[in-house]
Amino acid sequence: MLDREGFRPNVGIILLNQRNQVFWGKRIRSHSWQFPQGGIDRGETPEQAMYRELHEEVGLMPEHVSIVARTRDWLRYEVPDRFIRRDARGHYKGQKQIWYLLRLVAHDWNLNLRATSHPEFDAWRWHDYWVPLDVVVEFKRGVYEMALTELARYLPKNDHRNRYLRGGARHRHDDGMDASELHSALPRGLELPPGASFDPDPQHSTDPVQPQHK
């Protein structure tokens, strides 16, 4: 389902844990990491689509999360032609998204990447809030920055992990360390649901996701 301009309605999900870190998933059989997202089906509201995608992609139910905020308007990104199926070129232009900021109110073990027979991710980890801007595929970076920036106002003000000075696509910490340097200094803990695998170096994995699927 495309709008008149060729954008597919879509929802994006930024899932927070109790430390205000964000869920970061690795697309199945690829080296591409991203936030959960997916198309809005005909007849669905954005919120209904968000809950459906939340369960399909990470196995969570509505009672496992609370909605903190959502973006006011659609955020759009265009997909380069080389990532679009040939039969969709000239019609499909990209995604327009409503982004939701969710708080996980259940335990990590409720995350289940195999909740459906068509999993989207095969590994996941927690990242500090701004780190995904340095590792997401380039054509999504602008919309990620818009979503993270708009929703950052709803984070606790006393959380030092989220105090980055903004400077283009890179972010400087108060001590002069940029986001990638800060991430490299963090503990590399990882939690995997049953059946998952792990790419040990996701910050260097920027392979694009085939956008026609999600």
Side-chain angles (χ1 to χ4, degrees):
M1 182 176 66
L2 303 178
D3 67 11
R4 293 181 178 180
E5 297 177 326
F7 289 90
R8 183 187 183 197
N10 192 282
V11 291
I13 299 171
I14 301 171
L15 177 66
L16 298 171
N17 65 11
Q18 296 305 312
R19 298 178 62 195
N20 293 311
Q21 296 169 316
V22 295
F23 174 94
W24 194 232
K26 187 176 84 67
R27 290 296 296 253
I28 192 166
R29 294 184 295 275
S30 81
H31 296 289
S32 180
W33 290 70
Q34 65 172 66
F35 290 134
Q37 70 174 67
I40 300 174
D41 292 339
R42 190 176 301 277
E44 277 188 324
T45 66
E47 185 171 319
Q48 289 170 336
M50 179 273 291
Y51 280 126
R52 177 179 53 75
E53 291 291 340
L54 185 71
H55 179 257
E56 291 178 359
E57 298 203 351
V58 300
L60 296 178
M61 303 297 291
E63 60 266 26
H64 294 144
V65 299
S66 63
I67 298 178
V68 179
R70 52 157 279 182
T71 54
R72 294 183 299 272
D73 299 312
W74 297 103
L75 304 179
R76 293 171 170 80
Y77 68 85
E78 295 186 12
V79 176
D81 282 346
R82 65 184 181 277
F83 301 131
I84 301 175
R85 294 194 316 261
R86 289 186 179 182
D87 60 349
R89 292 176 185 173
H91 305 284
Y92 174 81
K93 191 172 184 180
Q95 308 275 21
K96 67 176 186 179
Q97 300 177 312
I98 295 293
W99 281 85
Y100 285 86
L101 182 67
L102 305 181
R103 170 82 59 191
L104 180 66
V105 297
H107 294 288
D108 287 4
W109 61 68
N110 287 286
L111 290 158
N112 178 14
L113 304 187
R114 304 288 178 170
T116 70
S117 59
H118 302 286
E120 296 291 334
F121 300 121
D122 60 15
W124 65 274
R125 66 185 304 164
W126 296 112
H127 264 318
D128 277 356
Y129 188 80
W130 295 108
V131 168
L133 283 183
D134 285 332
V135 294
V136 70
V137 64
E138 185 176 0
F139 66 82
K140 291 185 179 181
R141 192 165 296 152
V143 77
Y144 270 45
E145 182 163 20
M146 288 187 288
L148 288 166
T149 300
E150 180 174 347
L151 297 172
R153 72 186 69 180
Y154 299 100
L155 297 175
K157 302 300 183 184
N158 60 351
D159 188 347
H160 71 278
R161 288 184 300 273
N162 296 311
R163 292 178 183 174
Y164 290 91
L165 300 178
R166 310 305 305 281
R170 307 289 292 186
H171 309 280
R172 305 298 298 184
H173 194 257
D174 293 340
D175 60 5
M177 187 182 297
D178 73 24
S180 61
E181 293 165 340
L182 179 64
H183 172 56
S184 67
L186 294 174
R188 297 183 62 82
L190 176 68
E191 301 179 47
L192 295 177
S197 61
F198 175 56
D199 181 334
D201 200 13
Q203 64 264 38
H204 292 110
S205 298
T206 55
D207 295 348
V209 178
Q210 292 298 326
Q212 62 266 28
H213 300 302
K214 283 291 179 180

